């Protein structure tokens, strides 16, 4: 397979920057904005979503500093607090935070599992948590569309949380990832705890090296 062209690489890097700095989650929109910013006709050079994600991970690594590492740990800690409070929903961390990315607009993406979304809304209300509702659409490789409700609410340290509620059997099969169409990576609470430990150790090593 030939190496990506320079234009394609630049588009991937610019799209990654846009997604991280502007909080854009839509790969298609990020690609179009990247092409506009660079002033190129990208119809035949458009990078794939996986190339953009790889560029975002590399950008986060290259520009990591004490502040970004602290923000990453803080968001993981906030995610753990929410996951502990919603433990009966068997929550799973998904999205950019799971990939190690620190976006300018913090958002914790979780998948939870319940018989109905209404019972989750009522439960959050009983704890004084107001949430807004929406719907995510997932499309499988076979072209079938699946619609799942999500609840958006404020988490610890003013971090936004987006909880997508799946039926109880939804734990067995994750929806397709917008990155590569494969089942979306998910992390249980103990895995997030391990991520936080690794992040703390990485920070200590970086501090010792400075």
């Amino acid at each position: 397979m030939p190496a990506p062209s320079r234009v394609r690489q630049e588009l991937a890097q610019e799209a990654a920057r846009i997604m991280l700095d502007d909080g854009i989650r839509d790969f298609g929109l990020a690609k179009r904005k990247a092409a506009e910013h660079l002033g190129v006709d990208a119809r035949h050079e458009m990078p794939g979503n996986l190339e953009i994600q790889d560029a975002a991970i590399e950008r986060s690594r290259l520009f990591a500093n004490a502040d970004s590492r602290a923000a990453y740990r803080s968001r993981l800690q906030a995610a753990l607090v929410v996951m502990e409070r919603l433990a009966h929903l068997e929550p799973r961390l998904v999205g950019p935070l799971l990939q190690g990315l620190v976006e300018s607009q913090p958002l914790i993406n979780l998948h939870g599992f319940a018989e109905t979304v209404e019972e989750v809304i009522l439960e959050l209300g009983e704890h004084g948590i107001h949430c807004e509702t929406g719907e995510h659409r997932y499309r499988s490789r076979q072209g079938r569309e699946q619609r799942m409700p999500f609840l958006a609410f404020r988490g610890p340290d003013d971090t936004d949380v987006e909880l997508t509620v799946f039926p109880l059997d939804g734990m067995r099969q994750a929806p397709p990832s917008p990155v590569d169409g494969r089942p979306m990576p998910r992390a249980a609470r103990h895995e997030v705890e391990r991520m936080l430990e690794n992040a703390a150790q990485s920070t200590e090593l970086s501090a010792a090296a400075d």
Side-chain angles (χ1 to χ4, degrees):
M1 183 177 179
S5 69
R6 180 182 62 81
V7 171
R8 187 179 178 115
Q9 290 177 327
E10 290 178 351
L11 282 168
Q13 292 166 0
E14 177 63 7
R17 184 197 67 77
I18 290 170
M19 296 186 81
L20 289 174
D21 293 352
D22 298 348
I24 291 176
R25 294 294 186 92
D26 186 298
F27 282 93
L29 177 58
K31 293 176 188 180
R32 293 191 294 273
K33 283 183 171 289
E36 180 181 341
H37 289 180
L38 296 177
V40 299
D41 183 350
R43 284 178 293 182
H44 303 295
E45 294 285 353
M46 196 63 82
N49 294 351
L50 185 58
E51 293 173 78
I52 296 173
Q53 178 177 272
D54 289 344
I57 293 173
E58 179 65 11
R59 181 179 180 84
S60 290
R61 186 188 67 80
L62 288 174
F63 290 95
N65 54 38
D67 289 341
S68 65
R69 286 190 285 266
Y72 177 62
R73 295 195 311 276
S74 176
R75 293 175 195 179
L76 283 178
Q77 289 171 337
L80 278 172
V81 170
V82 177
M83 294 175 82
E84 288 168 0
R85 292 175 180 172
L86 302 177
H88 59 289
L89 300 179
E90 298 287 344
R92 299 291 189 269
L93 179 66
V94 299
L97 186 60
L98 179 57
Q99 304 300 324
L101 302 177
V102 178
E103 302 170 296
S104 61
Q105 301 178 22
L107 176 64
I108 296 171
N109 293 97
L110 298 173
H111 287 178
F113 309 90
E115 291 187 359
T116 67
V117 67
E118 288 79 12
E119 68 182 67
V120 182
I121 294 174
L122 288 174
E123 178 188 348
L124 292 176
E126 290 173 355
H127 289 84
I129 299 175
H130 170 74
C131 61
E132 297 181 359
T133 61
E135 187 178 71
H136 282 309
R137 298 183 180 185
Y138 301 104
R139 188 173 296 277
S140 70
R141 289 185 172 182
Q142 294 75 30
R144 292 193 298 270
E145 186 178 80
Q146 184 181 32
R147 300 185 179 190
M148 288 296 164
F150 73 82
L151 307 177
F153 55 93
R154 188 75 70 180
D157 299 326
D158 286 332
T159 301
D160 289 326
V161 179
E162 193 173 277
L163 172 68
T164 305
V165 182
F166 291 80
L168 293 175
D169 61 358
M171 194 182 304
R172 292 181 294 184
Q173 180 65 46
S177 167
V179 177
D180 56 12
R182 297 180 179 178
M184 188 180 295
R186 289 168 163 171
R189 189 172 61 179
H190 71 276
E191 295 172 299
V192 179
E193 290 173 345
R194 190 179 309 121
M195 290 170 59
L196 183 57
E197 292 174 0
N198 292 339
Q201 291 173 1
S202 177
T203 298
E204 292 174 359
L205 291 174
S206 298
D210 291 340

